[in-house]
Amino acid sequence: MPTAPYRIHAVRYAHRACTSSEVFYGDHHAAPMTMDYFVWALTNGTHTVVVGLGFTEPVGTRRGRQFLRCPSRGLAEIGIDCRQVTH
């Protein structure tokens, strides 16, 4: 039985200003850049899969990231209750 196509959502939860030398190995230009951090949700109406490889607010703050919101809050804003996600 075919399944419904999945929709992919990217929810930004943190941000930082940095230089290219901090992000890319061997880059000596130190060009200003920004980096955003996301949690991903894949939904098809029946199943939801959440992919997150990030960090907690205390860890992000210690590393100089601007924590915008808890990933679970960002997911709730698009209608995903993390307590109901099993994958």
Side-chain angles (χ1 to χ4, degrees):
M1 173 186 281
T3 61
Y6 278 85
R7 296 187 74 190
I8 301 172
H9 307 271
V11 178
R12 187 171 77 140
Y13 70 92
H15 172 84
R16 77 173 172 140
C18 56
T19 67
S20 58
S21 300
E22 294 175 85
V23 178
F24 301 109
Y25 178 77
D27 182 330
H28 305 289
H29 299 100
M33 63 176 284
T34 59
M35 180 177 276
D36 294 315
Y37 299 89
F38 296 88
V39 62
W40 301 85
L42 297 81
T43 62
N44 73 353
T46 306
H47 297 92
T48 299
V49 177
V50 173
V51 179
L53 303 171
F55 45 82
T56 62
E57 184 172 7
V59 170
T61 300
R62 187 174 69 240
R63 293 180 178 174
R65 276 71 167 160
Q66 178 186 9
F67 204 79
L68 304 173
R69 66 181 142 221
C70 180
S72 61
R73 190 177 117 218
L75 290 167
E77 291 173 6
I78 61 169
I80 297 173
D81 180 354
C82 288
R83 296 170 296 187
Q84 302 300 315
V85 176
T86 58
H87 295 86

